[in-house]
Amino acid sequence: MHRHTLCRPLLLPAMVLVLSACAERPGSVPVVPAEELAAQVPELDAVHDLMHPLWHEAFPAKDFAAIQARVGEFEPLLAALDSARLPGILQDKQARWDEQKGLLRGTFDGLKAAAAAGLQDQTLGFLEAFHMNYEGLVRIIRPVVPELEVFHQHLYGLYHYYGPGYDLEKIRGAADGMAEAVPPLRAAELPARVAELQGTFESLVGTLGQKVTELQAALEDPTRADVEAAIEAVHAAYEEVEGIFG
């Protein structure tokens, strides 16, 4: 008994230190950097600045000389695009992005060769394909449904920052943000090119809204396991919605 009594004052401070180190520290998880939430690639915008006059002016006029004179200007722009980093919110699209960049580069090589050889019809054909592949890159970073991207901005911080850090204050803020984003998402109408997916979209959005509600319920009397499971369920439901657009 005497030996345990002597040890107790030594053990308790150590335990306090351990518990203090393990305790949650509100605000310890950083806010998501704004650049990680911006679905923008400036290097693609630079390609657009050169593409626009060629596609909207030279191509309709079949102005081969104007196209031939400027084709080489794409070379450094495509090199910059090839090394561009996608922002965090677009990282899940990396594989599609890389594939589409490959298609863009292939049609550019054909365009450059046809222009250098003075082949007018082939040059126009390759410019059309080049523009189509450029538009493919634009579609990857521009959401089909803007309301879904608003939701995703809240989810991104939650899933990649606040959830792993278990910052309950920020998790609650993200959950509230997603809850506010659900009604506009439920009311969203798909563009004509994917209108046939409207019914599937509405059903999956309904499930997504339910998972957000379940996350908010888990946060009322939170345990880490329950909250993390609810976050995972929201993320999976979001992926189901986003996945219907290919």
Side-chain angles (χ1 to χ4, degrees), residues 77 79 131 134:
L77 302 181
H131 178 264
Y134 158 78

Side-chain angles (χ1 to χ4, degrees), residues 10 17 29 46 50 66 93 110 113 131 134 139 162 166 174 197 200 207 212 218 228 241 244:
L10 297 175
L17 287 174
V29 177
L50 178 56
K93 302 180 187 297
H131 178 264
Y134 158 78
R139 283 195 294 272
Y162 313 144
Y166 199 59
L197 299 173
T200 303
T207 300
V212 172
E228 289 180 343
V241 179
I244 68 173

